[in-house]
Amino acid sequence: MGEDVEKLKQRLSLLDYLRQQRWTARSTAHGREFVGLCPLHPETQPSFYVNARKNLFYCHGCGQGGDLIRFVQLSRHLSFHESLSYLDQQSALTADPAAVLEQAATFYQQQLERHPEALRYLEQRGLRDLALIKELRIGYAPGGSLRRHLTAQGYSCELLGRLGLLNSLGYDAFYRRVIFPCCQGGRVVNLYGRSIAAAFAHRFLPGSKGSLYAWEQVQQCPEVILVEGLFDYAVLWQAGFRHVTCSLGTHLNAEQFQQLCDRPRTIYLTFDVDANGSGQQASQQLAKRLRMQGITTRLVVLPDGHDPNSFFVQGGDARQFQVLLEAAQT
């Protein structure tokens, strides 16, 4: 019984269930915690908190708290076993893609420390801070094991294939790739797989790559460093530059562009200095679009052939990068 209950809660998280019931909330300063009006009693000031990582709720207004099953018991006036039956039907009817991607991201994160080749690759890319690696939820896809794990949780191969987690032959789509979860509003919306072997292409899952990476952490900053890639983001964060975000490529989608324009600020565009000039051309075009919206821009010029990641890997440090920021061109 205990194992079945855990599988049920993994298939349908508390936050996903509440959102299906049209509960609206905002994230708190703690990132994975959300607050909104309590669905269990009338109130005008939000006091109902959900910890998405622990899958628990607590209302400071009515004093009720617990997990998903407890919430269903209270909201639908059902017994424990009746709640289990109800939730089993709900999870079968509505498999939330974000919940599946959350499960995949957690599984990949658990694999990272079990595969020394993945940790060696991260170190080669300049990532040595294990706390940062954990905070960014970086994982590893060895291949051949995700399908078994997720089908054991009750997800169908058809669903996993539709989300891009399995290929057309039914095998794990990600193989020998370091995995970055891409989140939006506390939900995993995509996964980025960075190959540790030259034979395999880097790739996202099908669908939107989402908003700017970790945007919630820098939204209030008057100055923001914008980089192309997730390794660029990670090494800058590791070096102490906490006002950095990532566009996951040089082409911003409409939502990402609007995020940069949501208030007056200065954007330091820090794209790759490619041999063909594509990175700098993209940053100049983006700077022009941003200036038309009243946003101040600065073009950070890295040494030829470098991106922020390679700059730090090949001996650059935080002081030298700060000098580049101060010398950024208008």
Side-chain angles (χ1 to χ4, degrees):
M1 171 66 75
E3 184 178 348
D4 291 340
V5 169
E6 287 307 311
K7 287 183 178 180
L8 175 62
K9 288 192 286 188
Q10 288 172 352
R11 293 203 307 269
L12 183 62
S13 73
L14 172 61
L15 186 60
D16 289 329
Y17 175 80
L18 288 168
R19 282 169 167 159
Q20 289 175 14
Q21 305 303 310
R22 303 184 186 282
W23 184 64
T24 57
R26 59 175 175 82
S27 60
T28 69
H30 301 293
R32 295 282 290 163
E33 190 173 71
F34 298 82
V35 61
L37 296 175
C38 180
L40 300 175
H41 80 284
E43 64 177 5
T44 57
Q45 295 296 322
S47 62
F48 186 87
Y49 285 78
V50 173
N51 187 310
R53 189 175 299 280
K54 296 181 179 179
N55 218 17
L56 297 173
F57 75 92
Y58 183 77
C59 178
H60 293 276
C62 63
Q64 297 288 356
D67 59 9
L68 171 62
I69 298 171
R70 179 59 178 163
F71 179 81
V72 171
Q73 285 182 266
L74 293 169
S75 61
R76 297 190 169 270
H77 309 290
L78 300 175
S79 69
F80 177 81
H81 289 286
E82 288 171 337
S83 297
L84 286 181
S85 178
Y86 168 79
L87 286 171
D88 195 47
Q89 294 174 359
Q90 289 297 303
S91 64
L93 290 172
T94 57
D96 185 0
V100 185
L101 295 180
E102 175 68 34
Q103 289 294 309
T106 300
F107 175 78
Y108 287 140
Q109 190 177 11
Q110 293 167 348
Q111 301 304 304
L112 183 65
E113 294 184 359
R114 303 173 187 176
H115 294 272
E117 70 272 20
L119 292 172
R120 284 195 299 270
Y121 176 78
L122 291 179
E123 186 171 358
Q124 291 167 4
R125 299 302 302 269
L127 286 184
R128 303 176 181 87
D129 187 339
L130 294 179
L132 172 64
I133 291 170
K134 185 175 182 180
E135 183 177 351
L136 299 183
R137 300 188 65 194
I138 299 173
Y140 180 61
S145 51
L146 180 70
R147 170 180 169 171
R148 182 169 60 252
H149 174 73
L150 290 181
T151 53
Q153 306 303 322
Y155 297 115
S156 69
C157 289
E158 185 275 331
L159 172 63
L160 302 182
R162 184 154 37 91
L163 294 176
L165 293 169
L166 300 183
N167 62 24
S168 59
L169 299 177
Y171 297 119
D172 288 7
F174 285 137
Y175 174 70
R176 296 197 68 197
R177 288 184 174 93
V178 166
I179 304 296
F180 286 81
C182 301
C183 299
Q184 186 171 345
R187 294 157 61 88
V188 180
V189 297
N190 209 319
L191 299 175
Y192 174 68
R194 183 78 183 188
S195 174
I196 68 170
F200 305 104
H202 315 312
R203 55 165 295 192
F204 289 94
L205 294 177
S208 171
K209 60 185 178 182
S211 59
L212 291 165
Y213 187 79
W215 176 247
E216 294 83 1
Q217 298 175 355
V218 300
Q219 186 174 6
Q220 307 298 327
C221 295
E223 296 183 344
V224 172
I225 302 170
L226 177 67
V227 297
E228 287 184 45
L230 287 166
F231 278 103
D232 300 328
Y233 172 90
V235 294
L236 283 175
W237 184 267
Q238 184 176 257
F241 296 93
R242 301 302 170 92
H243 55 302
V244 59
T245 187
C246 174
S247 55
L248 306 167
T250 57
H251 300 289
L252 278 67
N253 60 35
E255 181 178 4
Q256 292 175 328
F257 184 78
Q258 289 303 316
Q259 286 174 320
L260 293 177
C261 301
D262 67 355
R263 68 191 64 201
R265 60 166 57 90
T266 299
I267 306 294
Y268 287 84
L269 298 171
T270 317
F271 287 0
D272 304 358
V273 181
D274 312 288
N276 61 10
S278 60
Q280 291 304 289
Q281 183 179 2
S283 63
Q284 290 169 2
Q285 292 173 347
L286 178 57
K288 183 178 180 180
R289 292 177 60 203
L290 289 170
R291 287 196 293 267
M292 291 177 64
Q293 299 298 318
I295 302 299
T296 302
T297 62
R298 299 284 187 271
L299 301 181
V300 179
V301 182
L302 294 162
D304 287 347
H306 279 284
D307 55 35
N309 182 230
S310 64
F311 175 80
F312 280 93
V313 168
Q314 297 187 24
D317 57 26
R319 181 188 59 80
Q320 292 169 329
F321 188 79
Q322 182 61 41
V323 170
L324 293 178
L325 290 179
E326 293 170 359
Q329 302 170 0
T330 57

Short mmCIF file of all heavy atoms in Angstrom, two decimals, residues 131-189:
data_model
loop_
_atom_site.label_atom_id
_atom_site.label_comp_id
_atom_site.label_asym_id
_atom_site.label_seq_id
_atom_site.Cartn_x
_atom_site.Cartn_y
_atom_site.Cartn_z
N ALA A 131 27.57 22.04 -4.74
CA ALA A 131 26.34 22.68 -4.25
C ALA A 131 25.62 23.40 -5.38
O ALA A 131 24.39 23.36 -5.47
CB ALA A 131 26.67 23.65 -3.11
N LEU A 132 26.37 24.06 -6.25
CA LEU A 132 25.78 24.74 -7.40
C LEU A 132 25.16 23.73 -8.36
O LEU A 132 24.06 23.94 -8.86
CB LEU A 132 26.83 25.56 -8.12
CG LEU A 132 26.39 26.19 -9.46
CD1 LEU A 132 25.29 27.20 -9.23
CD2 LEU A 132 27.57 26.81 -10.18
N ILE A 133 25.89 22.64 -8.62
CA ILE A 133 25.37 21.59 -9.51
C ILE A 133 24.04 21.06 -8.99
O ILE A 133 23.08 20.86 -9.74
CB ILE A 133 26.40 20.46 -9.65
CG1 ILE A 133 27.62 20.95 -10.43
CG2 ILE A 133 25.80 19.24 -10.31
CD1 ILE A 133 28.79 20.01 -10.43
N LYS A 134 23.96 20.90 -7.67
CA LYS A 134 22.71 20.42 -7.06
C LYS A 134 21.62 21.48 -7.15
O LYS A 134 20.46 21.18 -7.42
CB LYS A 134 22.97 20.04 -5.61
CG LYS A 134 21.77 19.43 -4.91
CD LYS A 134 22.12 18.96 -3.50
CE LYS A 134 20.92 18.31 -2.84
NZ LYS A 134 21.24 17.86 -1.45
N GLU A 135 22.00 22.75 -6.91
CA GLU A 135 21.01 23.83 -6.96
C GLU A 135 20.41 23.98 -8.36
O GLU A 135 19.20 24.23 -8.50
CB GLU A 135 21.67 25.14 -6.53
CG GLU A 135 20.71 26.31 -6.49
CD GLU A 135 21.37 27.59 -6.00
OE1 GLU A 135 22.52 27.52 -5.52
OE2 GLU A 135 20.75 28.65 -6.09
N LEU A 136 21.24 23.82 -9.39
CA LEU A 136 20.75 23.91 -10.76
C LEU A 136 20.06 22.63 -11.22
O LEU A 136 19.53 22.57 -12.33
CB LEU A 136 21.91 24.24 -11.71
CG LEU A 136 22.64 25.56 -11.48
CD1 LEU A 136 23.71 25.78 -12.55
CD2 LEU A 136 21.66 26.72 -11.47
N ARG A 137 20.09 21.62 -10.38
CA ARG A 137 19.45 20.32 -10.64
C ARG A 137 20.03 19.65 -11.89
O ARG A 137 19.31 18.99 -12.64
CB ARG A 137 17.93 20.48 -10.76
CG ARG A 137 17.25 21.04 -9.52
CD ARG A 137 15.75 20.98 -9.65
NE ARG A 137 15.30 19.59 -9.71
CZ ARG A 137 14.08 19.23 -10.09
NH1 ARG A 137 13.21 20.13 -10.47
NH2 ARG A 137 13.75 17.95 -10.12
N ILE A 138 21.32 19.83 -12.11
CA ILE A 138 21.97 19.21 -13.25
C ILE A 138 21.99 17.69 -13.05
O ILE A 138 22.30 17.21 -11.97
CB ILE A 138 23.39 19.75 -13.43
CG1 ILE A 138 23.34 21.27 -13.68
CG2 ILE A 138 24.10 19.05 -14.58
CD1 ILE A 138 24.70 21.92 -13.71
N GLY A 139 21.64 16.96 -14.09
CA GLY A 139 21.61 15.51 -14.01
C GLY A 139 22.37 14.87 -15.15
O GLY A 139 23.07 15.54 -15.91
N TYR A 140 22.20 13.56 -15.25
CA TYR A 140 22.89 12.82 -16.32
C TYR A 140 21.99 11.71 -16.83
O TYR A 140 21.35 10.99 -16.06
CB TYR A 140 24.20 12.23 -15.79
CG TYR A 140 24.97 11.45 -16.84
CD1 TYR A 140 25.43 12.07 -18.00
CD2 TYR A 140 25.21 10.09 -16.68
CE1 TYR A 140 26.12 11.37 -18.97
CE2 TYR A 140 25.93 9.37 -17.64
CZ TYR A 140 26.37 10.02 -18.79
OH TYR A 140 27.05 9.32 -19.76
N ALA A 141 21.95 11.59 -18.16
CA ALA A 141 21.17 10.53 -18.81
C ALA A 141 22.13 9.49 -19.36
O ALA A 141 22.72 9.70 -20.43
CB ALA A 141 20.33 11.12 -19.93
N PRO A 142 22.31 8.37 -18.65
CA PRO A 142 23.19 7.33 -19.18
C PRO A 142 22.57 6.62 -20.37
O PRO A 142 23.27 6.05 -21.21
CB PRO A 142 23.37 6.39 -17.98
CG PRO A 142 22.14 6.59 -17.16
CD PRO A 142 21.76 8.03 -17.33
N GLY A 143 21.23 6.65 -20.46
CA GLY A 143 20.51 5.95 -21.53
C GLY A 143 20.10 4.57 -21.09
O GLY A 143 20.81 3.88 -20.36
N GLY A 144 18.89 4.17 -21.52
CA GLY A 144 18.44 2.81 -21.28
C GLY A 144 17.76 2.56 -19.96
O GLY A 144 17.39 1.42 -19.68
N SER A 145 17.58 3.59 -19.14
CA SER A 145 17.00 3.34 -17.81
C SER A 145 15.79 4.22 -17.48
O SER A 145 15.00 3.88 -16.60
CB SER A 145 18.06 3.54 -16.73
OG SER A 145 18.72 4.78 -16.89
N LEU A 146 15.61 5.35 -18.18
CA LEU A 146 14.49 6.24 -17.87
C LEU A 146 13.16 5.58 -18.18
O LEU A 146 12.20 5.69 -17.40
CB LEU A 146 14.62 7.55 -18.65
CG LEU A 146 13.48 8.55 -18.38
CD1 LEU A 146 13.60 9.13 -16.98
CD2 LEU A 146 13.49 9.68 -19.41
N ARG A 147 13.07 4.91 -19.32
CA ARG A 147 11.80 4.27 -19.69
C ARG A 147 11.36 3.29 -18.61
O ARG A 147 10.19 3.31 -18.20
CB ARG A 147 11.97 3.53 -21.02
CG ARG A 147 10.78 2.64 -21.36
CD ARG A 147 10.96 1.92 -22.68
NE ARG A 147 9.95 0.88 -22.85
CZ ARG A 147 9.77 0.20 -23.96
NH1 ARG A 147 10.51 0.45 -25.02
NH2 ARG A 147 8.83 -0.72 -24.03
N ARG A 148 12.26 2.47 -18.14
CA ARG A 148 11.92 1.50 -17.11
C ARG A 148 11.44 2.19 -15.84
O ARG A 148 10.47 1.77 -15.20
CB ARG A 148 13.14 0.62 -16.82
CG ARG A 148 12.89 -0.47 -15.78
CD ARG A 148 14.05 -1.46 -15.75
NE ARG A 148 15.32 -0.81 -15.41
CZ ARG A 148 16.30 -0.60 -16.27
NH1 ARG A 148 16.17 -0.99 -17.54
NH2 ARG A 148 17.43 -0.02 -15.89
N HIS A 149 12.12 3.27 -15.47
CA HIS A 149 11.76 4.00 -14.26
C HIS A 149 10.37 4.63 -14.35
O HIS A 149 9.56 4.49 -13.43
CB HIS A 149 12.81 5.08 -13.99
CG HIS A 149 12.48 5.98 -12.85
ND1 HIS A 149 12.55 5.59 -11.53
CD2 HIS A 149 12.04 7.28 -12.83
CE1 HIS A 149 12.18 6.58 -10.74
NE2 HIS A 149 11.87 7.62 -11.51
N LEU A 150 10.09 5.32 -15.47
CA LEU A 150 8.82 6.03 -15.58
C LEU A 150 7.64 5.11 -15.83
O LEU A 150 6.53 5.37 -15.35
CB LEU A 150 8.92 7.09 -16.68
CG LEU A 150 9.83 8.29 -16.38
CD1 LEU A 150 9.82 9.28 -17.53
CD2 LEU A 150 9.43 8.99 -15.08
N THR A 151 7.83 4.05 -16.58
CA THR A 151 6.72 3.10 -16.77
C THR A 151 6.38 2.43 -15.46
O THR A 151 5.21 2.07 -15.23
CB THR A 151 7.04 2.06 -17.86
OG1 THR A 151 8.29 1.42 -17.56
CG2 THR A 151 7.12 2.70 -19.23
N ALA A 152 7.37 2.25 -14.58
CA ALA A 152 7.09 1.69 -13.26
C ALA A 152 6.26 2.64 -12.40
O ALA A 152 5.58 2.21 -11.46
CB ALA A 152 8.40 1.35 -12.54
N GLN A 153 6.29 3.94 -12.75
CA GLN A 153 5.46 4.92 -12.05
C GLN A 153 4.05 5.01 -12.62
O GLN A 153 3.23 5.78 -12.14
CB GLN A 153 6.12 6.31 -12.11
CG GLN A 153 7.55 6.37 -11.63
CD GLN A 153 7.71 5.89 -10.22
OE1 GLN A 153 6.86 6.15 -9.38
NE2 GLN A 153 8.80 5.19 -9.95
N GLY A 154 3.78 4.24 -13.66
CA GLY A 154 2.44 4.21 -14.24
C GLY A 154 2.27 5.02 -15.51
O GLY A 154 1.16 5.11 -16.05
N TYR A 155 3.34 5.63 -16.04
CA TYR A 155 3.24 6.40 -17.26
C TYR A 155 3.38 5.49 -18.48
O TYR A 155 4.19 4.55 -18.48
CB TYR A 155 4.32 7.48 -17.31
CG TYR A 155 4.21 8.50 -16.20
CD1 TYR A 155 5.20 8.62 -15.23
CD2 TYR A 155 3.11 9.35 -16.13
CE1 TYR A 155 5.09 9.55 -14.21
CE2 TYR A 155 2.99 10.28 -15.11
CZ TYR A 155 3.99 10.38 -14.16
OH TYR A 155 3.88 11.30 -13.15
N SER A 156 2.60 5.77 -19.50
CA SER A 156 2.61 4.93 -20.69
C SER A 156 3.75 5.30 -21.63
O SER A 156 4.20 6.45 -21.66
CB SER A 156 1.28 5.07 -21.44
OG SER A 156 1.16 6.36 -22.01
N CYS A 157 4.18 4.34 -22.44
CA CYS A 157 5.22 4.62 -23.44
C CYS A 157 4.71 5.61 -24.48
O CYS A 157 5.49 6.41 -25.02
CB CYS A 157 5.65 3.32 -24.12
SG CYS A 157 6.62 2.23 -23.05
N GLU A 158 3.40 5.56 -24.75
CA GLU A 158 2.81 6.51 -25.71
C GLU A 158 2.99 7.94 -25.22
O GLU A 158 3.37 8.83 -25.98
CB GLU A 158 1.33 6.19 -25.91
CG GLU A 158 0.63 7.03 -26.98
CD GLU A 158 0.13 8.38 -26.47
OE1 GLU A 158 -0.17 8.47 -25.26
OE2 GLU A 158 0.09 9.33 -27.28
N LEU A 159 2.73 8.18 -23.93
CA LEU A 159 2.89 9.51 -23.35
C LEU A 159 4.36 9.92 -23.37
O LEU A 159 4.69 11.05 -23.75
CB LEU A 159 2.36 9.54 -21.92
CG LEU A 159 2.63 10.82 -21.13
CD1 LEU A 159 1.95 12.01 -21.77
CD2 LEU A 159 2.20 10.66 -19.68
N LEU A 160 5.25 9.03 -22.98
CA LEU A 160 6.67 9.34 -22.95
C LEU A 160 7.20 9.66 -24.34
O LEU A 160 8.05 10.54 -24.51
CB LEU A 160 7.45 8.19 -22.32
CG LEU A 160 7.04 7.79 -20.89
CD1 LEU A 160 7.92 6.67 -20.38
CD2 LEU A 160 7.10 8.99 -19.95
N GLY A 161 6.70 8.95 -25.34
CA GLY A 161 7.09 9.23 -26.71
C GLY A 161 6.57 10.58 -27.17
O GLY A 161 7.27 11.31 -27.88
N ARG A 162 5.34 10.91 -26.79
CA ARG A 162 4.75 12.18 -27.18
C ARG A 162 5.52 13.35 -26.59
O ARG A 162 5.64 14.41 -27.22
CB ARG A 162 3.29 12.21 -26.74
CG ARG A 162 2.50 13.42 -27.15
CD ARG A 162 1.01 13.11 -27.25
NE ARG A 162 0.55 12.20 -26.24
CZ ARG A 162 0.06 12.56 -25.05
NH1 ARG A 162 0.02 13.83 -24.72
NH2 ARG A 162 -0.39 11.65 -24.20
N LEU A 163 6.07 13.17 -25.39
CA LEU A 163 6.85 14.23 -24.76
C LEU A 163 8.29 14.29 -25.27
O LEU A 163 9.02 15.22 -24.94
CB LEU A 163 6.85 14.03 -23.24
CG LEU A 163 5.51 14.18 -22.53
CD1 LEU A 163 5.65 13.87 -21.05
CD2 LEU A 163 4.95 15.57 -22.74
N GLY A 164 8.69 13.29 -26.06
CA GLY A 164 10.04 13.27 -26.60
C GLY A 164 11.05 12.56 -25.73
O GLY A 164 12.24 12.54 -26.06
N LEU A 165 10.61 11.98 -24.60
CA LEU A 165 11.53 11.28 -23.71
C LEU A 165 11.95 9.93 -24.28
O LEU A 165 13.01 9.41 -23.93
CB LEU A 165 10.88 11.08 -22.34
CG LEU A 165 10.65 12.38 -21.54
CD1 LEU A 165 9.76 12.12 -20.33
CD2 LEU A 165 11.98 12.99 -21.11
N LEU A 166 11.11 9.36 -25.16
CA LEU A 166 11.47 8.14 -25.89
C LEU A 166 11.53 8.46 -27.38
O LEU A 166 10.76 9.29 -27.87
CB LEU A 166 10.43 7.04 -25.64
CG LEU A 166 10.20 6.57 -24.20
CD1 LEU A 166 9.19 5.43 -24.17
CD2 LEU A 166 11.50 6.15 -23.53
N ASN A 167 12.42 7.79 -28.10
CA ASN A 167 12.49 8.00 -29.55
C ASN A 167 11.48 7.11 -30.27
O ASN A 167 10.69 6.41 -29.64
CB ASN A 167 13.92 7.77 -30.05
CG ASN A 167 14.41 6.34 -29.82
OD1 ASN A 167 13.61 5.40 -29.71
ND2 ASN A 167 15.73 6.16 -29.75
N SER A 168 11.50 7.14 -31.58
CA SER A 168 10.51 6.40 -32.39
C SER A 168 10.60 4.89 -32.20
O SER A 168 9.65 4.17 -32.47
CB SER A 168 10.67 6.75 -33.87
OG SER A 168 11.97 6.43 -34.32
N LEU A 169 11.75 4.41 -31.74
CA LEU A 169 11.94 2.97 -31.50
C LEU A 169 11.58 2.58 -30.07
O LEU A 169 11.64 1.39 -29.72
CB LEU A 169 13.38 2.57 -31.80
CG LEU A 169 13.86 2.79 -33.25
CD1 LEU A 169 15.33 2.42 -33.38
CD2 LEU A 169 13.01 1.97 -34.21
N GLY A 170 11.21 3.57 -29.25
CA GLY A 170 10.83 3.27 -27.88
C GLY A 170 11.98 3.27 -26.88
O GLY A 170 11.81 2.88 -25.73
N TYR A 171 13.16 3.76 -27.30
CA TYR A 171 14.31 3.82 -26.42
C TYR A 171 14.45 5.22 -25.83
O TYR A 171 13.90 6.20 -26.37
CB TYR A 171 15.60 3.46 -27.17
CG TYR A 171 15.61 2.05 -27.70
CD1 TYR A 171 15.71 1.82 -29.07
CD2 TYR A 171 15.53 0.96 -26.84
CE1 TYR A 171 15.73 0.52 -29.58
CE2 TYR A 171 15.54 -0.35 -27.33
CZ TYR A 171 15.64 -0.55 -28.70
OH TYR A 171 15.65 -1.83 -29.19
N ASP A 172 15.21 5.34 -24.76
CA ASP A 172 15.47 6.65 -24.16
C ASP A 172 16.03 7.61 -25.21
O ASP A 172 17.00 7.28 -25.90
CB ASP A 172 16.47 6.53 -23.02
CG ASP A 172 15.91 5.86 -21.78
OD1 ASP A 172 14.77 5.36 -21.84
OD2 ASP A 172 16.61 5.83 -20.75
N ALA A 173 15.43 8.80 -25.31
CA ALA A 173 15.89 9.77 -26.29
C ALA A 173 17.22 10.39 -25.89
O ALA A 173 18.06 10.69 -26.74
CB ALA A 173 14.84 10.87 -26.47
N PHE A 174 17.43 10.60 -24.60
CA PHE A 174 18.69 11.15 -24.11
C PHE A 174 19.65 10.02 -23.76
O PHE A 174 19.31 9.13 -22.97
CB PHE A 174 18.46 12.01 -22.87
CG PHE A 174 17.85 13.36 -23.17
CD1 PHE A 174 16.83 13.86 -22.39
CD2 PHE A 174 18.31 14.14 -24.23
CE1 PHE A 174 16.27 15.10 -22.64
CE2 PHE A 174 17.75 15.39 -24.50
CZ PHE A 174 16.74 15.86 -23.70
N TYR A 175 20.85 10.08 -24.32
CA TYR A 175 21.87 9.06 -24.09
C TYR A 175 23.22 9.74 -23.95
O TYR A 175 23.61 10.53 -24.81
CB TYR A 175 21.90 8.07 -25.26
CG TYR A 175 23.01 7.05 -25.18
CD1 TYR A 175 23.00 6.04 -24.23
CD2 TYR A 175 24.08 7.11 -26.07
CE1 TYR A 175 24.03 5.10 -24.15
CE2 TYR A 175 25.12 6.18 -26.01
CZ TYR A 175 25.08 5.18 -25.04
OH TYR A 175 26.09 4.26 -24.97
N ARG A 176 23.89 9.48 -22.83
CA ARG A 176 25.19 10.08 -22.53
C ARG A 176 25.14 11.61 -22.67
O ARG A 176 25.94 12.22 -23.37
CB ARG A 176 26.29 9.49 -23.42
CG ARG A 176 26.53 8.01 -23.20
CD ARG A 176 27.87 7.57 -23.77
NE ARG A 176 28.97 8.16 -23.00
CZ ARG A 176 30.23 8.23 -23.43
NH1 ARG A 176 30.54 7.77 -24.63
NH2 ARG A 176 31.18 8.76 -22.67
N ARG A 177 24.18 12.18 -22.00
CA ARG A 177 24.03 13.64 -22.02
C ARG A 177 23.87 14.17 -20.60
O ARG A 177 23.17 13.57 -19.79
CB ARG A 177 22.81 14.06 -22.84
CG ARG A 177 22.97 13.89 -24.34
CD ARG A 177 21.73 14.42 -25.04
NE ARG A 177 21.87 14.41 -26.49
CZ ARG A 177 21.46 13.41 -27.28
NH1 ARG A 177 20.89 12.34 -26.74
NH2 ARG A 177 21.61 13.50 -28.59
N VAL A 178 24.53 15.28 -20.33
CA VAL A 178 24.27 16.03 -19.10
C VAL A 178 22.95 16.77 -19.29
O VAL A 178 22.70 17.36 -20.35
CB VAL A 178 25.42 17.02 -18.83
CG1 VAL A 178 25.03 18.04 -17.76
CG2 VAL A 178 26.67 16.26 -18.39
N ILE A 179 22.09 16.74 -18.27
CA ILE A 179 20.73 17.26 -18.40
C ILE A 179 20.54 18.49 -17.52
O ILE A 179 20.85 18.49 -16.34
CB ILE A 179 19.69 16.19 -18.00
CG1 ILE A 179 19.87 14.91 -18.83
CG2 ILE A 179 18.28 16.74 -18.13
CD1 ILE A 179 19.63 15.08 -20.30
N PHE A 180 20.00 19.55 -18.14
CA PHE A 180 19.57 20.76 -17.42
C PHE A 180 18.05 20.85 -17.50
O PHE A 180 17.51 20.93 -18.61
CB PHE A 180 20.15 22.02 -18.05
CG PHE A 180 21.61 22.26 -17.82
CD1 PHE A 180 22.55 21.61 -18.60
CD2 PHE A 180 22.05 23.14 -16.85
CE1 PHE A 180 23.91 21.84 -18.42
CE2 PHE A 180 23.40 23.39 -16.66
CZ PHE A 180 24.34 22.73 -17.45
N PRO A 181 17.33 20.87 -16.38
CA PRO A 181 15.89 21.16 -16.44
C PRO A 181 15.65 22.64 -16.71
O PRO A 181 16.33 23.50 -16.15
CB PRO A 181 15.38 20.78 -15.04
CG PRO A 181 16.50 20.04 -14.39
CD PRO A 181 17.76 20.54 -15.02
N CYS A 182 14.71 22.94 -17.58
CA CYS A 182 14.30 24.32 -17.86
C CYS A 182 12.94 24.54 -17.21
O CYS A 182 11.97 23.86 -17.57
CB CYS A 182 14.21 24.57 -19.36
SG CYS A 182 15.77 24.27 -20.23
N CYS A 183 12.89 25.46 -16.25
CA CYS A 183 11.67 25.63 -15.45
C CYS A 183 11.02 26.98 -15.74
O CYS A 183 11.67 27.93 -16.16
CB CYS A 183 12.00 25.54 -13.96
SG CYS A 183 12.69 23.94 -13.47
N GLN A 184 9.73 27.01 -15.48
CA GLN A 184 8.96 28.24 -15.63
C GLN A 184 7.83 28.20 -14.62
O GLN A 184 7.03 27.26 -14.61
CB GLN A 184 8.39 28.34 -17.05
CG GLN A 184 7.69 29.64 -17.36
CD GLN A 184 7.36 29.75 -18.83
OE1 GLN A 184 7.87 29.02 -19.66
NE2 GLN A 184 6.49 30.69 -19.17
N GLY A 185 7.80 29.19 -13.72
CA GLY A 185 6.77 29.21 -12.69
C GLY A 185 6.81 27.99 -11.78
O GLY A 185 5.77 27.51 -11.32
N GLY A 186 8.02 27.48 -11.53
CA GLY A 186 8.15 26.33 -10.66
C GLY A 186 7.88 25.00 -11.31
O GLY A 186 7.93 23.96 -10.65
N ARG A 187 7.61 24.98 -12.63
CA ARG A 187 7.31 23.75 -13.35
C ARG A 187 8.38 23.48 -14.40
O ARG A 187 8.83 24.41 -15.07
CB ARG A 187 5.93 23.86 -14.03
CG ARG A 187 4.77 23.94 -13.05
CD ARG A 187 3.56 24.59 -13.70
NE ARG A 187 3.04 23.86 -14.84
CZ ARG A 187 2.16 22.87 -14.77
NH1 ARG A 187 1.70 22.48 -13.59
NH2 ARG A 187 1.72 22.27 -15.85
N VAL A 188 8.75 22.23 -14.55
CA VAL A 188 9.70 21.86 -15.59
C VAL A 188 8.97 21.86 -16.93
O VAL A 188 7.99 21.13 -17.10
CB VAL A 188 10.32 20.48 -15.32
CG1 VAL A 188 11.31 20.11 -16.43
CG2 VAL A 188 11.03 20.45 -13.97
N VAL A 189 9.42 22.68 -17.88
CA VAL A 189 8.75 22.79 -19.18
C VAL A 189 9.56 22.15 -20.30
O VAL A 189 9.04 21.90 -21.39
CB VAL A 189 8.43 24.25 -19.53
CG1 VAL A 189 7.44 24.84 -18.52
CG2 VAL A 189 9.70 25.09 -19.58
#
